[in-house]
Amino acid sequence: MFVDQVKIHVQAGKGGDGIVSFRHEKYVAYGGPFGGDGGNGGSVIFQADPGMTTLLDLRYHRKIKATPGEKGKNKKMHGANGEDKIVKVPLGTIVKREDTGQIIADLTEPHQQQVIAKGGKGGRGNYHFKSSRNTAPKYAELGTLGEEFDCIVELRVLADVGLVGFPSVGKSTLLDAVSRAKPEIGDYPFTTISPNVGVVQTRDGRSFIMADLPGLIEGASTGKGLGHQFLRHIERCRVIVHVVDMGAEEGRDPLEDYKIINDELGSYQIRLLERPQIVVANKMDLEHAEENLKRFKEAYPDVTVYPTTTIIHEGIDPVLTKAADLLAVTPAFAITDDEMKNDGVVYTFEEKKSDLQIQQVDAHVWKVSGPRVERVFDIQKLNTEEDYFEFANKMRYLGIDKALREAGCEDGDTVQLLGYEFEFVES
């Protein structure tokens, strides 16, 4: 089964908590803090595997989770780091965040790896907080949560040349004639329902990868037929071979076919018409083929046409030679318009938005919420005066004091956080 798009949930491992511990050894006076750091959580990593051709494995494993880091140990011993979860995917796989649509990985090289969800950082043990003013700190840091989100994994066939055209124009027959790929060939529309890929070699020894893509129809760029589902596979192709049924075997007009397919390629989001195109006039053995070819050249005098009869392997070599020549001078095209690629990663500038929310729920009563502050707050860790002091420092570091003052909070007001209430005191 060919699967080229899957929605999955990824969750990196939580960092281990640092611990509070003190050195208690004979003949060691005032041993001091001795708590170790927590281990870092494991990350979710995608790796390109040349031996894979489909995302079928991910279809049955839609929740991918890395292991958390261990808590710190006594004697300043570091907790073990969590194991990374490595997920193998085919070459040409793209990973996008579902919430923003941002591409976070583009795997095009064999065995290339990319961190999709980064593991949480381990918390520091109490020995890190020793100072001249506080020689025996009784608090330690909690490990941070790993990244967790839904993402869309898409496979975009990694081919140099893509065959496009209406159904039953002879694309599969052409691929079968020039490579060892064995696509299904039939005398009915949509014989090809998934991309077929083959290695092609020209007579002068040059080689490239050619993909036979499912037939397009009018409206493919807006979701009609199979076109919208498979247009994404043309995005990686540097050269497009446009196959036209010049014999009009299916009762369509070749000139209208050519116009419709180009309109669909131009309407697609990646501007596919910017790629060099080779027009192949197929089925020249049919009765009205020569007449239609003459009409085509009159309508499109600037378009070079290569007459072929792929079923008997006639006229194919000039097409392959032209494709190899174009590949030699055509660079790779960017997957998107506004994103820049670097080592397989696509970065998009986004202004960082604050996740802190402050709301006045009553006179002199304020509610604070947000993912970051809620991760820091743990009522079970607030047992001593030192714990409250450390928590207050974290709140100040996160900018909550400043944000409350700017919102109008005054000394003595009540601040609510996760169902608990605190008194706001300006320092």
Side-chain angles (χ1 to χ4, degrees), residues 1 3 6 8 55-63:
M1 181 184 298
V3 178
V6 179
I8 63 173
L55 299 174
L56 184 61
D57 290 349
L58 289 182
R59 187 170 184 176
Y60 300 106
H61 298 85
R62 300 204 177 194
K63 290 186 178 181

PDB file of all heavy atoms in Angstrom, residues 1 3 6 8 55-63:
ATOM      1  N   MET A   1       0.843  -1.194   0.000  1.00  0.00           N
ATOM      2  CA  MET A   1       0.000   0.000   0.000  1.00  0.00           C
ATOM      3  C   MET A   1       0.876   1.241   0.000  1.00  0.00           C
ATOM      4  O   MET A   1       1.802   1.356   0.794  1.00  0.00           O
ATOM      5  CB  MET A   1      -0.910  -0.003   1.236  1.00  0.00           C
ATOM      6  CG  MET A   1      -1.840   1.201   1.307  1.00  0.00           C
ATOM      7  SD  MET A   1      -2.811   1.215   2.828  1.00  0.00           S
ATOM      8  CE  MET A   1      -3.744  -0.300   2.650  1.00  0.00           C
ATOM      9  N   VAL A   3       1.440   4.848   0.945  1.00  0.00           N
ATOM     10  CA  VAL A   3       0.946   5.875   1.871  1.00  0.00           C
ATOM     11  C   VAL A   3       1.921   7.037   1.805  1.00  0.00           C
ATOM     12  O   VAL A   3       3.117   6.869   2.050  1.00  0.00           O
ATOM     13  CB  VAL A   3       0.848   5.331   3.310  1.00  0.00           C
ATOM     14  CG1 VAL A   3       0.395   6.418   4.260  1.00  0.00           C
ATOM     15  CG2 VAL A   3      -0.089   4.139   3.368  1.00  0.00           C
ATOM     16  N   VAL A   6       0.688  11.232   6.471  1.00  0.00           N
ATOM     17  CA  VAL A   6       0.230  10.698   7.751  1.00  0.00           C
ATOM     18  C   VAL A   6       0.291  11.815   8.792  1.00  0.00           C
ATOM     19  O   VAL A   6       1.232  12.610   8.810  1.00  0.00           O
ATOM     20  CB  VAL A   6       1.110   9.514   8.226  1.00  0.00           C
ATOM     21  CG1 VAL A   6       0.637   8.996   9.578  1.00  0.00           C
ATOM     22  CG2 VAL A   6       1.098   8.385   7.214  1.00  0.00           C
ATOM     23  N   ILE A   8       0.718  12.458  12.735  1.00  0.00           N
ATOM     24  CA  ILE A   8       1.203  11.761  13.919  1.00  0.00           C
ATOM     25  C   ILE A   8       1.347  12.742  15.081  1.00  0.00           C
ATOM     26  O   ILE A   8       1.335  13.961  14.896  1.00  0.00           O
ATOM     27  CB  ILE A   8       2.556  11.063  13.661  1.00  0.00           C
ATOM     28  CG1 ILE A   8       3.630  12.102  13.322  1.00  0.00           C
ATOM     29  CG2 ILE A   8       2.445  10.017  12.561  1.00  0.00           C
ATOM     30  CD1 ILE A   8       5.023  11.516  13.226  1.00  0.00           C
ATOM     31  N   LEU A  55       5.161   5.596   3.696  1.00  0.00           N
ATOM     32  CA  LEU A  55       4.994   5.949   5.114  1.00  0.00           C
ATOM     33  C   LEU A  55       4.048   4.985   5.821  1.00  0.00           C
ATOM     34  O   LEU A  55       3.440   5.329   6.829  1.00  0.00           O
ATOM     35  CB  LEU A  55       4.456   7.379   5.237  1.00  0.00           C
ATOM     36  CG  LEU A  55       5.334   8.490   4.665  1.00  0.00           C
ATOM     37  CD1 LEU A  55       4.606   9.830   4.718  1.00  0.00           C
ATOM     38  CD2 LEU A  55       6.653   8.579   5.426  1.00  0.00           C
ATOM     39  N   LEU A  56       3.946   3.779   5.295  1.00  0.00           N
ATOM     40  CA  LEU A  56       2.990   2.811   5.835  1.00  0.00           C
ATOM     41  C   LEU A  56       3.243   2.518   7.310  1.00  0.00           C
ATOM     42  O   LEU A  56       2.303   2.357   8.087  1.00  0.00           O
ATOM     43  CB  LEU A  56       3.040   1.516   5.017  1.00  0.00           C
ATOM     44  CG  LEU A  56       2.032   0.428   5.393  1.00  0.00           C
ATOM     45  CD1 LEU A  56       0.607   0.929   5.205  1.00  0.00           C
ATOM     46  CD2 LEU A  56       2.270  -0.825   4.573  1.00  0.00           C
ATOM     47  N   ASP A  57       4.515   2.446   7.718  1.00  0.00           N
ATOM     48  CA  ASP A  57       4.824   2.143   9.123  1.00  0.00           C
ATOM     49  C   ASP A  57       4.229   3.187  10.064  1.00  0.00           C
ATOM     50  O   ASP A  57       3.723   2.853  11.143  1.00  0.00           O
ATOM     51  CB  ASP A  57       6.339   2.067   9.334  1.00  0.00           C
ATOM     52  CG  ASP A  57       6.954   0.842   8.663  1.00  0.00           C
ATOM     53  OD1 ASP A  57       6.173  -0.037   8.230  1.00  0.00           O
ATOM     54  OD2 ASP A  57       8.186   0.769   8.565  1.00  0.00           O
ATOM     55  N   LEU A  58       4.286   4.458   9.666  1.00  0.00           N
ATOM     56  CA  LEU A  58       3.760   5.520  10.533  1.00  0.00           C
ATOM     57  C   LEU A  58       2.240   5.476  10.622  1.00  0.00           C
ATOM     58  O   LEU A  58       1.662   5.991  11.573  1.00  0.00           O
ATOM     59  CB  LEU A  58       4.195   6.891  10.016  1.00  0.00           C
ATOM     60  CG  LEU A  58       5.670   7.241  10.171  1.00  0.00           C
ATOM     61  CD1 LEU A  58       5.937   8.642   9.658  1.00  0.00           C
ATOM     62  CD2 LEU A  58       6.095   7.135  11.628  1.00  0.00           C
ATOM     63  N   ARG A  59       1.616   4.876   9.640  1.00  0.00           N
ATOM     64  CA  ARG A  59       0.152   4.802   9.669  1.00  0.00           C
ATOM     65  C   ARG A  59      -0.322   3.976  10.856  1.00  0.00           C
ATOM     66  O   ARG A  59      -1.420   4.195  11.373  1.00  0.00           O
ATOM     67  CB  ARG A  59      -0.344   4.187   8.357  1.00  0.00           C
ATOM     68  CG  ARG A  59      -1.854   4.208   8.209  1.00  0.00           C
ATOM     69  CD  ARG A  59      -2.254   3.812   6.813  1.00  0.00           C
ATOM     70  NE  ARG A  59      -3.706   3.913   6.627  1.00  0.00           N
ATOM     71  CZ  ARG A  59      -4.329   3.706   5.482  1.00  0.00           C
ATOM     72  NH1 ARG A  59      -3.628   3.410   4.406  1.00  0.00           N
ATOM     73  NH2 ARG A  59      -5.629   3.808   5.398  1.00  0.00           N
ATOM     74  N   TYR A  60       0.479   3.038  11.296  1.00  0.00           N
ATOM     75  CA  TYR A  60       0.093   2.175  12.420  1.00  0.00           C
ATOM     76  C   TYR A  60       0.838   2.525  13.702  1.00  0.00           C
ATOM     77  O   TYR A  60       0.683   1.829  14.699  1.00  0.00           O
ATOM     78  CB  TYR A  60       0.356   0.719  12.044  1.00  0.00           C
ATOM     79  CG  TYR A  60      -0.413   0.279  10.824  1.00  0.00           C
ATOM     80  CD1 TYR A  60       0.215   0.102   9.602  1.00  0.00           C
ATOM     81  CD2 TYR A  60      -1.795   0.084  10.871  1.00  0.00           C
ATOM     82  CE1 TYR A  60      -0.492  -0.278   8.466  1.00  0.00           C
ATOM     83  CE2 TYR A  60      -2.515  -0.287   9.749  1.00  0.00           C
ATOM     84  CZ  TYR A  60      -1.850  -0.468   8.549  1.00  0.00           C
ATOM     85  OH  TYR A  60      -2.568  -0.841   7.430  1.00  0.00           O
ATOM     86  N   HIS A  61       1.661   3.579  13.662  1.00  0.00           N
ATOM     87  CA  HIS A  61       2.353   4.048  14.867  1.00  0.00           C
ATOM     88  C   HIS A  61       2.248   5.569  14.896  1.00  0.00           C
ATOM     89  O   HIS A  61       3.224   6.284  14.619  1.00  0.00           O
ATOM     90  CB  HIS A  61       3.818   3.612  14.863  1.00  0.00           C
ATOM     91  CG  HIS A  61       4.014   2.137  14.869  1.00  0.00           C
ATOM     92  ND1 HIS A  61       4.006   1.377  13.713  1.00  0.00           N
ATOM     93  CD2 HIS A  61       4.198   1.259  15.886  1.00  0.00           C
ATOM     94  CE1 HIS A  61       4.198   0.113  14.011  1.00  0.00           C
ATOM     95  NE2 HIS A  61       4.316   0.009  15.322  1.00  0.00           N
ATOM     96  N   ARG A  62       1.067   6.058  15.238  1.00  0.00           N
ATOM     97  CA  ARG A  62       0.804   7.489  15.129  1.00  0.00           C
ATOM     98  C   ARG A  62       1.181   8.267  16.381  1.00  0.00           C
ATOM     99  O   ARG A  62       1.091   9.494  16.387  1.00  0.00           O
ATOM    100  CB  ARG A  62      -0.667   7.729  14.796  1.00  0.00           C
ATOM    101  CG  ARG A  62      -1.065   7.070  13.488  1.00  0.00           C
ATOM    102  CD  ARG A  62      -2.254   7.721  12.865  1.00  0.00           C
ATOM    103  NE  ARG A  62      -2.579   7.136  11.576  1.00  0.00           N
ATOM    104  CZ  ARG A  62      -3.399   7.671  10.700  1.00  0.00           C
ATOM    105  NH1 ARG A  62      -3.973   8.811  10.968  1.00  0.00           N
ATOM    106  NH2 ARG A  62      -3.665   7.083   9.558  1.00  0.00           N
ATOM    107  N   LYS A  63       1.561   7.601  17.441  1.00  0.00           N
ATOM    108  CA  LYS A  63       2.035   8.284  18.644  1.00  0.00           C
ATOM    109  C   LYS A  63       3.478   7.863  18.878  1.00  0.00           C
ATOM    110  O   LYS A  63       3.757   6.699  19.145  1.00  0.00           O
ATOM    111  CB  LYS A  63       1.168   7.934  19.856  1.00  0.00           C
ATOM    112  CG  LYS A  63      -0.233   8.528  19.786  1.00  0.00           C
ATOM    113  CD  LYS A  63      -1.007   8.275  21.069  1.00  0.00           C
ATOM    114  CE  LYS A  63      -2.396   8.917  21.014  1.00  0.00           C
ATOM    115  NZ  LYS A  63      -3.150   8.697  22.274  1.00  0.00           N
TER     116      LYS A  63
END
